[in-house]
């Protein structure tokens, strides 16, 4: 039965947005709706224009008989900046200040709308880069990793501080976390990363960078490659961080009696002229 264009557009949008970074063939849509490929191509032209003009993402179209469409989510710089400014306002509430120069943010990282925007924002940085797996360490980095993996449509894996029997055989590394200033251990199931795979390392917070450094060491142990590093917030740190290149949404400047939250380096890391050029025709 032939499906009307208005109904096709609604269903195609849902189908593509639920499968980011995956090519969906013209043939699939043609058979799904009982419509000619020429009609589907016209539908995709409408979708492409609307998704871009509304700042939802890119719709890459691949021509030819084996062609199709691939939805690439991104968040425009203005929307990203508004989101981060809103988070800064929330985190600047006095009762969030914790001893040792920390800020309570676990409630924010439990809100679906915050996690969605964090996922979209970090996925924007990697919209044209190959990422095979997202890696984080238990515990507070997990919801962030899940959201980013959702928008990149790749698996996420979790390094743990204590080996669990359910993880099977594991690879472990020792590292010094600036937050605890003691030697820590993290372990990752041997099934987690394939050799030469490109791994995006993420966490909720980076202070001395030792935890991220530990995850970088784990990636090296698996003969995989670090595709990038992203953290929700970076803390102020007097020492020398071992993490050369990373993206942060927030920067938390904390002393024993005061905390100031400012935007991290996401704007210059993500909205480069080259990447912005991908957003426009
Ligand atoms: O940059 P560093 O100085 O290494 O510190 C950043 C660590 C410390 C903290 O984790 P914890 O609070 O230790 O662990 P959890 O996430 O389980 O709360 C945070 O989530 C990062 O993983």
């Amino acid at each position: 039965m032939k499906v009307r264009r208005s109904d096709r557009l609604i269903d195609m949008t849902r189908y593509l947005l639920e499968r980011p970074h995956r090519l969906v063939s013209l043939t699939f849509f043609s058979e799904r709706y009982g419509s000619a490929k020429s009609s589907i191509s016209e539908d995709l032209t409408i979708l492409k224009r609307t998704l871009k003009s509304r700042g939802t993402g890119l719709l890459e179209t691949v021509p030819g008989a084996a062609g199709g469409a691939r939805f690439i989510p991104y968040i425009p710089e203005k929307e990203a900046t508004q989101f981060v400014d809103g988070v800064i306002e929330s985190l600047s509430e006095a009762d969030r200040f914790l001893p040792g120069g920390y800020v309570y943010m676990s409630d924010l990282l439990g809100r679906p709308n915050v996690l969605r925007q964090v996922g979209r924002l970090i996925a924007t940085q990697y919209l044209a880069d190959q990422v095979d797996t997202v890696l984080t360490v238990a515990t507070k980095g997990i919801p962030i990793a899940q959201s980013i993996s959702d928008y990149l449509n790749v698996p996420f894996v979790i390094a743990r501080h204590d080996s669990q029997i359910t993880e099977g055989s594991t690879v472990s590394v020792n590292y010094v976390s600036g937050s605890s200033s003691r030697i820590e251990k993290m372990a990752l199931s041997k099934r987690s990363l394939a050799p030469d795979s490109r791994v995006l390392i993420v966490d909720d917070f980076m202070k001395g960078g030792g935890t991220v450094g530990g995850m970088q060491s784990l990636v090296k142990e698996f003969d995989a490659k670090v595709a990038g590093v992203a953290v929700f917030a970076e803390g102020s740190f007097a020492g020398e961080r071992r993490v050369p290149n990373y993206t942060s949404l927030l920067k938390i400047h904390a002393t024993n009696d005061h905390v100031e939250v400012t935007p991290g380096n996401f704007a210059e890391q993500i909205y480069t002229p080259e990447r912005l050029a991908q957003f426009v025709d």
Side-chain angles (χ1 to χ4, degrees):
M1 180 190 77
K2 199 165 178 171
V3 176
R4 289 180 307 176
R5 166 154 288 167
S6 55
D7 296 27
R8 295 202 304 263
L9 288 172
I10 292 167
D11 187 65
M12 288 171 89
T13 302
R14 178 196 57 78
Y15 194 89
L16 286 162
L17 265 59
E18 285 180 353
R19 293 163 180 80
H21 291 270
R22 288 284 179 277
L23 185 70
V24 182
S25 72
L26 282 179
T27 305
F28 171 81
F29 281 133
S30 176
E31 291 171 358
R32 182 180 177 88
Y33 305 119
S35 304
K37 286 185 180 180
S38 57
S39 302
I40 300 299
S41 292
E42 290 166 5
D43 294 343
L44 291 172
T45 301
I46 295 168
L47 274 186
K48 182 184 180 98
R49 183 181 68 242
T50 306
L51 291 172
K52 187 186 302 181
S53 64
R54 294 292 175 181
T56 309
L58 299 171
L59 192 68
E60 286 181 351
T61 46
V62 178
R70 177 187 294 116
F71 172 65
I72 309 290
Y74 75 75
I75 182 170
E77 185 172 10
K78 184 179 178 187
E79 184 179 346
T81 303
Q82 287 170 343
F83 162 67
V84 170
D85 289 348
V87 172
I88 289 171
E89 188 177 341
S90 300
L91 286 179
S92 302
E93 295 153 0
D95 61 355
R96 287 183 178 273
F97 184 58
L98 300 170
Y102 286 91
V103 173
Y104 179 73
M105 47 187 194
S106 297
D107 58 328
L108 290 184
L109 294 180
R111 291 183 191 161
N113 63 312
V114 170
L115 290 169
R116 268 195 297 275
Q117 296 293 68
V118 173
R120 280 178 74 197
L121 184 43
I122 301 304
T124 300
Q125 180 166 3
Y126 296 92
L127 61 79
D129 297 342
Q130 182 192 342
V131 172
D132 300 305
T133 308
V134 177
L135 167 64
T136 191
V137 61
T139 303
K140 292 195 288 293
I142 294 171
I144 294 171
Q146 191 277 323
S147 180
I148 295 169
S149 74
D150 200 18
Y151 280 98
L152 293 178
N153 206 358
V154 296
F156 73 101
V157 293
I158 305 166
R160 299 170 190 275
H161 297 299
D162 51 347
S163 294
Q164 311 261 358
I165 190 74
T166 50
E167 292 295 296
S169 57
T170 60
V171 174
S172 66
V173 293
N174 296 319
Y175 65 97
V176 177
S177 168
S179 298
S180 61
S181 300
R182 61 173 188 266
I183 292 182
E184 306 256 14
K185 174 188 163 188
M186 64 170 76
L188 184 63
S189 168
K190 279 191 173 177
R191 293 168 169 80
S192 299
L193 302 177
D196 296 324
S197 62
R198 292 177 57 77
V199 181
L200 174 57
I201 290 172
V202 304
D203 206 351
D204 66 312
F205 185 67
M206 179 172 73
K207 192 170 182 182
T211 303
V212 166
M215 287 190 269
Q216 288 176 316
S217 301
L218 270 179
V219 170
K220 191 174 177 183
E221 289 295 322
F222 280 82
D223 294 326
K225 305 277 187 296
V226 175
V229 174
V231 294
F232 178 67
E234 60 174 299
S236 41
F237 183 70
E240 180 70 27
R241 278 200 184 112
R242 288 177 49 214
V243 180
N245 191 23
Y246 62 88
T247 298
S248 62
L249 275 55
L250 305 167
K251 186 155 188 165
I252 297 177
H253 316 263
T255 60
N256 284 331
D257 59 3
H258 176 68
V259 66
E260 183 191 8
V261 187
T262 58
N265 66 5
F266 73 93
E268 59 263 27
Q269 287 287 92
I270 296 176
Y271 296 100
T272 60
E274 301 76 23
R275 190 167 292 111
L276 287 172
Q278 292 172 311
F279 294 176
V280 294
D281 284 330

